[in-house]
Amino acid sequence: MPARTDESVGIGDIELLQAPELWMTSDAILRDITHYFGRMLGRRTIRTQSPYLYQAVVFAVRDRLMERWGKTRMAMERNDYRRASYLSLEFLMGRLLRNAQISLGIEENTAEALNRIGLDLEDVYQRELDTGLGNGGLGRLAACFLDSCATLSLPVVGYGMRYKYGMFHQRIENGFQVEHPDPWLREGFPWEVERYEFAQTIKFGGRTTSYTDAKGGTRFEWIDTDDVLAIPFDVPVPGYRNEIVNSLRLWSASSTDEFNLQEFNAGSYADAVATKYEAENITMVLYPDDATYDGQVLRLKQQYFLASASLQDMLRYHTQQHGDDVSKFAEKNVVQLNDTHPAIAVAELMRLLIDEFYISWDEAWAITRKTMAYTNHTLLPEALEMWPVSMLRQLLPRILDIIYEIDARFIEEISQRWPGDKARIQRMSLIQKGHTPMVRMAYLAIAGSFSVNGVAKLHSELLVDGLFRDFAELWPEKFNNKTNGVTQRRWLAACNPPLSRLISNAIGDSWTTDLEQLRRLEDFADDESFAAAWREVKIANKQRLGKNIQEKTGLPIDTDLLFDVQVKRIHEYKRQLLNVLHAIHLYDRIRRGDGDELVPRTIIIGGKAAPGYAMAKNVIKVIHNVASVINTDPAMQGRLQLVFYPDYNVSAMELICPAAELSEQISTAGKEASGTGNMKFMMNGAITIGTLDGANVEIRQAVGEDNFFLFGLTVEEINELRERYNPQSIIEADEDFARVVQLLQSGHFNRAEPGIMDAALQSILEPADPWMTAADFRPFVDAQLAANTAYKDRARWTRMSILNTARSGIFSTDRTMREYNAEIWQLEPIELDVK
Ligand code: 26V
């Protein structure tokens, strides 16, 4: 093992921690801001738009977190709490300043401090760049989890990657998506604290040898490796007004001195420097594809780098607390794997325990299986990770040996349970045989874990009945559901201040830590003055978003229109095309003079396409072309608008969800594991139009069927229809649909760009269309009409809106985290008064 550094608190630290509480007054805050601005950053003139003002404010806030952070760590060490480590290649944190202020309860005083020198805190907030270290739902879920764990005082550490470039920025040129890099660290990231003393060495390449130890046993060594350093950078994760500050530890890759030495000695300076960059490449960029698995070597390096660095860090901490005895490791640690991305941790923990701590295979396997828990986030076969055996052999030879050994023993277990069932062994083996043998990472994760969970009821059922059926038969006790949530501190309190005030005035503010309290709003659902205030808030939020959209796109937004919103990654299964078909249908109705019953609406669609996903990119182009025809047609003025929201990200959602009235959750049933945007919209009083997919099922159950616009085929119906699916006949039998398709085929939306819509259009005309968009067209149009009718009755709509918020209590990640803790982690909450 590398030398261990002592993390425990020394005498000097104790003095710092015992120093008097930093002042939370506006005076003290202002003094610190000016101190950092002038003395640390060396600037003179304070301007709102300066990144330095933002940095000075962060430093002042960070100071106030620092003591709590130290106290949290000290309490964890002193009481030797069992900890959960959340391993994730993605943490989509968004902006941090507003949340930190809210958690500390110093927002008003900071605003006042800045006011005194003529500055506006809101402008400072807007200056912060998003920490975009994630693609979408899976990454944002990890961020919401951290917020809730800190608020529940749970000892949970997030382990992730400090990518130099986060999620790309999307710009639109002539309706096409163009990707631009996201150099989010360029102006510095004032939240992070580098902890060089906890750097870890990660091995790549080389070969395995064996030798006989003093006791005559066989031991293995992984030698001649190219090592890379993993340097941790810690980001504070404050709990809400509870004095707890947890950590997100992000690893950054750097070359080791030894790595370069050989080449330096050989006199090839340039090669040595180049190698240094090769090492740093590992954390250079977030992979922006969440649609399809692609077996890039660099991606495998990232996964192993995260798994190895984090496990070594956990073992370092464990030995600091317990010496070299790792027999209690599983008692003191649980690792939650965020999808299969870090699943190689199963084999890496085995390697560390066997090769570095010299314990037996059986003991190591018992510890590993008691430590690991795995969360699945997708049912799409094309997203399931499999690494070629040949790639592992080259890059991680010792890890491959271990995977083969796990597989051999696992096959033995299957044979005992089902003697002679060769087909079953083939199906379940961790290695997929064939021309290019592959390691199935999901199977490795299941075999090496004590818990496997899906992220919504339906999704978890489909895992057990379908994707992981064989495994659920073998180990039924491992499988469980943990329905996702979102943190109400960001997704209601921070992003929707006027609604938060209205709610708190009515029922008090305990909902910020107990979201079920919102149920008391039901008493106000028929209160006319409350309803009027509710509507006013929505209008104000629509105006705020309208202004923002106009700034971004130049398009003036009419805030009298119904805001109908679909924002999420662009993917065929999410069916943005179905939404576009409906937009064209409305356009067609208004044009042919049949639009009198239609309430005016603004359809807003936003999201990024994976750079290599041609069809998703084509969908963006289609949306823009249809939008430009609709938005320039005088007959549509004040009646219909279609807007593409560019560069959709966490901060955009903070403006969008408070303004939404209708939430589009229209994926093909059985394809969306959960969805979490759906919960943010509901919490902010939007009404869902959706299929029975993912968490929509539970949303509808919570809010009641009268307050949800349901449509579309069920999972069973989709499966049943599949063989005889014939979109052409569906279109021919439906005049409205035929007119929509005719408009698309006639080139109405692409006069000067022949063929540009073909790919997207063709995809829905195909009998093999996996997403069966055409089958759901008529049901969707009908559900939209029901929404249209409901919206016309203002009082009814407002009531539905209030009830959506009132019944969103279960979709707090506070509930989700309590369930993970009760059923998987079993952690004691941190008590700050050190025993
Ligand atoms: C997949 C892949 C495939 C291999 C290459 C890199 C990469 C990166 C990310 C992903 C993520 C796909 C899974 C995902 O994001 N699932 C979403 O998870 C949400 C949180 O549980 C859930 O709400 C969404 O329904 C689900 O699509």
Side-chain angles (χ1 to χ4, degrees):
M1 287 297 286
R4 292 181 196 100
T5 336
D6 193 347
E7 201 167 10
S8 64
V9 180
I11 300 294
D13 298 323
I14 285 179
E15 258 172 49
L16 170 70
L17 293 167
Q18 286 176 342
E21 272 285 314
L22 278 163
W23 291 93
M24 293 294 191
T25 60
S26 59
D27 279 348
I29 293 169
L30 181 57
R31 186 196 62 215
D32 288 353
I33 292 174
T34 50
H35 163 79
Y36 284 117
F37 193 82
R39 297 216 183 81
M40 187 177 147
L41 299 167
R43 314 286 145 163
R44 271 177 70 89
T45 319
I46 297 197
R47 281 191 208 90
T48 309
Q49 275 315 305
S50 156
Y52 304 108
L53 172 61
Y54 157 70
Q55 284 179 25
V57 174
V58 172
F59 285 131
V61 175
R62 211 185 75 170
D63 283 356
R64 286 154 175 82
L65 289 172
M66 217 35 116
E67 283 187 272
R68 293 166 169 78
W69 204 358
K71 283 182 181 163
T72 305
R73 261 201 298 262
M74 193 161 72
M76 300 242 295
E77 287 175 25
R78 292 269 172 90
N79 294 337
D80 196 29
Y81 286 111
R82 170 176 163 85
R83 306 198 301 184
S85 294
Y86 198 78
L87 259 62
S88 178
L89 271 286
E90 304 188 10
F91 285 91
L92 194 41
M93 301 296 284
R95 290 173 172 153
L96 305 179
L97 181 55
R98 190 196 303 265
N99 261 82
Q101 300 251 11
I102 292 178
S103 294
L104 285 170
I106 59 171
E107 201 178 20
E108 266 176 42
N109 288 353
T110 310
E112 193 188 312
L114 288 170
N115 260 334
R116 257 192 265 157
I117 51 172
L119 299 171
D120 187 352
L121 178 58
E122 196 53 43
D123 295 334
V124 178
Y125 286 154
Q126 298 308 321
R127 190 63 183 73
E128 181 170 6
L129 300 177
D130 268 41
T131 295
L133 305 181
N135 272 283
L138 166 145
R140 181 55 232 176
L141 184 75
C144 284
F145 279 10
L146 293 184
D147 180 85
S148 284
C149 288
T151 297
L152 295 169
S153 303
L154 292 175
V156 175
V157 182
Y159 280 107
M161 300 281 273
R162 184 177 177 272
Y163 303 108
K164 190 165 174 191
Y165 296 94
M167 188 60 198
F168 69 82
H169 288 293
Q170 178 192 59
R171 294 206 202 132
I172 302 297
E173 285 176 24
N174 183 33
F176 290 99
Q177 167 176 295
V178 179
E179 300 90 23
H180 291 260
D182 164 42
W184 69 291
L185 288 167
R186 202 169 43 191
E187 291 173 354
F189 181 51
W191 294 103
E192 68 185 3
V193 178
E194 181 170 353
R195 306 296 301 269
Y196 193 86
E197 67 274 31
F198 301 136
Q200 298 293 346
T201 303
I202 315 301
K203 297 181 185 209
F204 289 102
R207 62 199 172 87
T208 324
T209 59
S210 59
Y211 64 96
T212 309
D213 68 11
K215 291 182 194 152
T218 308
R219 304 228 160 268
F220 296 90
E221 254 189 316
W222 184 5
I223 58 168
D224 298 342
T225 50
D226 291 331
D227 295 349
V228 176
L229 266 193
I231 318 240
F233 288 73
D234 287 357
V235 181
V237 181
Y240 182 81
R241 294 182 194 178
N242 65 350
E243 306 280 308
I244 296 284
V245 179
N246 277 345
S247 300
L248 169 59
R249 183 159 279 186
L250 299 176
W251 298 103
S252 179
S254 157
S255 65
T256 56
D257 295 338
E258 306 88 74
F259 195 48
N260 292 329
L261 204 57
Q262 297 164 357
E263 276 163 316
F264 270 123
N265 290 344
S268 50
Y269 172 78
D271 287 352
V273 174
T275 330
K276 173 175 157 57
Y277 279 106
E278 207 180 295
E280 288 174 7
N281 269 340
I282 294 179
T283 49
M284 193 62 72
V285 63
L286 164 79
Y287 272 91
D289 194 336
D290 68 351
T292 45
Y293 165 78
D294 69 336
Q296 305 280 340
V297 180
L298 184 59
R299 171 80 179 168
L300 177 58
K301 284 189 185 173
Q302 290 186 339
Q303 297 186 346
Y304 180 67
F305 178 84
L306 172 70
S308 180
S310 309
L311 287 170
Q312 290 190 62
D313 193 55
M314 291 162 62
L315 282 160
R316 174 194 59 75
Y317 181 77
H318 187 80
T319 48
Q320 174 202 300
Q321 301 285 92
H322 299 270
D324 275 352
D325 176 10
V326 289
S327 61
K328 289 206 170 76
F329 186 77
E331 264 168 57
K332 290 294 173 186
N333 289 280
V334 53
V335 171
Q336 193 71 43
L337 302 170
N338 199 19
D339 215 302
T340 54
H341 313 158
I344 200 142
V346 168
E348 174 65 358
L349 181 55
M350 290 297 288
R351 183 187 74 82
L352 290 167
L353 293 173
I354 294 170
D355 294 359
E356 314 242 344
F357 287 89
Y358 307 129
I359 67 172
S360 71
W361 179 279
D362 289 337
E363 213 185 330
W365 187 236
I367 292 174
T368 300
R369 273 184 151 178
K370 257 199 260 168
T371 302
M372 300 286 167
Y374 156 58
T375 306
N376 171 283
H377 295 267
T378 184
L379 288 157
L380 302 181
E382 62 267 36
L384 294 180
E385 294 191 302
M386 293 197 285
W387 291 106
V389 165
S390 57
M391 197 187 282
L392 284 164
R393 183 169 291 124
Q394 271 235 318
L395 197 65
L396 306 167
R398 180 67 183 127
I399 294 296
L400 181 64
D401 290 348
I402 290 172
I403 291 174
Y404 268 120
E405 183 69 25
I406 296 173
D407 190 47
R409 291 168 186 246
F410 175 50
I411 287 173
E412 189 53 42
E413 203 175 330
I414 306 170
S415 315
Q416 273 171 20
R417 169 81 191 267
W418 290 283
D421 193 343
K422 293 227 171 64
R424 193 181 285 266
I425 290 172
Q426 286 280 319
R427 288 203 306 271
M428 294 180 76
S429 167
L430 308 191
I431 316 285
Q432 180 185 281
K433 309 277 179 316
H435 181 64
T436 315
M438 304 275 240
V439 177
R440 298 155 159 162
M441 299 308 283
Y443 295 3
L444 176 64
I446 299 171
S449 304
F450 67 90
S451 165
V452 178
N453 75 281
V455 291
K457 269 185 198 152
L458 174 68
H459 169 61
S460 297
E461 281 166 23
L462 294 173
L463 287 180
V464 168
D465 296 342
L467 203 56
F468 299 150
R469 190 189 189 123
D470 289 324
F471 290 85
E473 268 181 53
L474 182 58
W475 296 309
E477 68 288 351
K478 282 195 193 186
F479 288 80
N480 64 93
N481 172 246
K482 296 287 167 285
T483 299
N484 283 167
V486 303
T487 168
Q488 70 268 31
R489 267 86 54 192
R490 180 176 295 260
W491 297 111
L492 186 52
C495 75
N496 199 344
L499 195 66
S500 301
R501 274 193 298 272
L502 180 61
I503 293 171
S504 296
N505 284 338
I507 63 166
D509 63 5
S510 58
W511 58 270
T512 50
T513 52
D514 178 8
L515 201 63
E516 287 287 355
Q517 293 296 328
L518 289 180
R519 194 168 294 282
R520 287 158 52 208
L521 288 173
E522 286 187 17
D523 298 344
F524 295 83
D526 297 307
D527 176 327
E528 266 175 47
S529 78
F530 187 81
W534 191 268
R535 277 193 294 272
E536 269 170 41
V537 166
K538 190 59 89 182
I539 290 167
N541 287 328
K542 285 169 75 177
Q543 280 161 351
R544 178 174 74 157
L545 177 62
K547 195 163 149 267
N548 171 261
I549 293 178
Q550 182 158 6
E551 279 161 17
K552 294 216 151 156
T553 65
L555 200 72
I557 299 297
D558 194 340
T559 48
D560 293 337
L561 280 59
L562 184 166
F563 275 23
D564 169 355
V565 186
Q566 185 180 27
V567 286
K568 47 184 81 238
R569 287 299 288 263
I570 310 292
H571 197 297
E572 289 162 279
Y573 85 78
K574 296 178 189 280
R575 298 198 298 194
Q576 281 90 359
L577 273 180
L578 180 59
N579 202 355
V580 174
L581 294 177
H582 175 248
I584 298 173
H585 167 65
L586 293 180
Y587 165 77
D588 180 46
R589 276 193 67 177
I590 297 169
R591 275 212 327 163
R592 70 183 193 227
D594 177 35
D596 289 352
E597 70 168 320
L598 301 176
V599 296
R601 63 165 97 190
T602 298
I603 301 170
I604 299 166
I605 305 178
K608 291 172 183 172
Y613 189 174
M615 185 64 85
K617 291 179 121 173
N618 187 234
V619 168
I620 292 177
K621 176 63 176 159
V622 167
I623 297 168
H624 277 92
N625 279 32
V626 173
S628 95
V629 168
I630 292 179
N631 299 339
T632 54
D633 185 334
M636 300 300 131
Q637 271 291 317
R639 307 188 71 172
L640 183 65
Q641 251 184 335
L642 175 59
V643 188
F644 186 84
Y645 190 103
D647 202 32
Y648 172 66
N649 62 7
V650 171
S651 290
M653 186 56 155
E654 289 173 18
L655 291 171
I656 294 169
C657 70
E661 296 178 289
L662 191 59
S663 157
E664 300 275 348
Q665 308 300 337
I666 61 179
S667 51
T668 310
K671 301 299 174 190
E672 188 70 270
S674 162
T676 46
N678 47 5
M679 301 170 185
K680 295 163 197 168
F681 284 118
M682 178 196 195
M683 216 172 263
N684 285 275
I687 296 147
T688 306
I689 179 163
T691 49
L692 284 178
D693 199 17
N696 295 353
V697 177
E698 289 153 84
I699 287 179
R700 176 163 174 267
Q701 198 181 9
V703 77
E705 54 187 56
D706 294 346
N707 302 302
F708 185 107
F709 300 106
L710 177 70
F711 75 97
L713 299 177
T714 62
V715 176
E716 294 77 24
E717 287 164 347
I718 291 268
N719 291 337
E720 193 267 322
L721 179 63
R722 184 140 287 169
E723 299 110 75
R724 49 184 179 83
Y725 180 52
N726 184 353
Q728 290 289 359
S729 69
I730 295 173
I731 294 164
E732 278 161 29
D734 184 331
E735 197 191 324
D736 289 332
F737 199 175
R739 290 174 62 99
V740 169
V741 171
Q742 168 58 26
L743 274 171
L744 280 164
Q745 278 171 338
S746 70
H748 185 79
F749 302 104
N750 55 324
R751 290 263 174 260
E753 299 172 298
I756 203 82
M757 323 277 277
D758 289 2
L761 178 59
Q762 192 51 41
S763 73
I764 58 170
L765 301 179
E766 238 11 285
D769 173 16
W771 323 114
M772 299 172 84
T773 303
D776 277 345
F777 175 82
R778 176 50 55 186
F780 184 50
V781 168
D782 290 346
Q784 288 284 13
L785 218 49
N788 184 83
T789 307
Y791 195 76
K792 280 193 208 163
D793 181 345
R794 241 175 31 154
R796 177 178 164 209
W797 186 272
T798 308
R799 185 171 190 281
M800 290 172 80
S801 169
I802 295 169
L803 290 178
N804 265 270
T805 302
R807 296 170 182 174
S808 66
I810 54 167
F811 300 109
S812 166
T813 33
D814 297 348
R815 187 268 313 148
T816 312
M817 292 296 89
R818 279 199 193 93
E819 289 180 1
Y820 272 83
N821 193 43
E823 292 158 35
I824 306 173
W825 300 341
Q826 304 191 324
L827 311 169
E828 296 287 342
I830 304 166
E831 281 188 43
L832 282 179
D833 303 319
V834 177
K835 281 172 212 153

